[in-house]
Amino acid sequence: MSAENSVAELREELRLVEDDIESLRRSAVQLRQQVGEDEPGDFADRGSVIAAAEEQESLAEQLEARRGDLLKRLGETG
């Protein structure tokens, strides 16, 4: 694999990771908004929605770490 192909592959992976981060963050925001719209007495559903939002945020944080690694690798190859 040439260095040029490697850089192109890293950039493509970076683009995909950034797209996923954006999607997860947007999803988490929508889930948190849904909590505010739920009926006041529906605590079990609220807890599930909050847990789902936290899971989305955790995944986004993991992807942000991956993005940092990709950026570092691109800096080393660029």
Side-chain angles (χ1 to χ4, degrees), residues 15-33:
R15 184 190 66 76
L16 293 172
V17 165
E18 288 177 338
D19 288 348
D20 287 345
I21 291 169
E22 181 181 332
S23 176
L24 287 166
R25 293 285 184 204
R26 193 176 4 190
S27 175
V29 166
Q30 290 171 344
L31 287 168
R32 291 200 182 275
Q33 288 173 341

Side-chain angles (χ1 to χ4, degrees), residues 26-67:
R26 193 176 4 190
S27 175
V29 166
Q30 290 171 344
L31 287 168
R32 291 200 182 275
Q33 288 173 341
Q34 180 181 338
V35 169
E37 296 169 358
D38 284 346
E39 294 297 318
D42 207 354
F43 295 114
D45 286 344
R46 284 178 134 174
S48 295
V49 172
I50 290 169
E54 289 173 352
E55 184 177 332
Q56 298 291 304
E57 290 165 348
S58 176
L59 291 170
E61 289 172 6
Q62 292 173 22
L63 287 174
E64 287 171 349
R66 178 67 181 147
R67 176 177 59 192

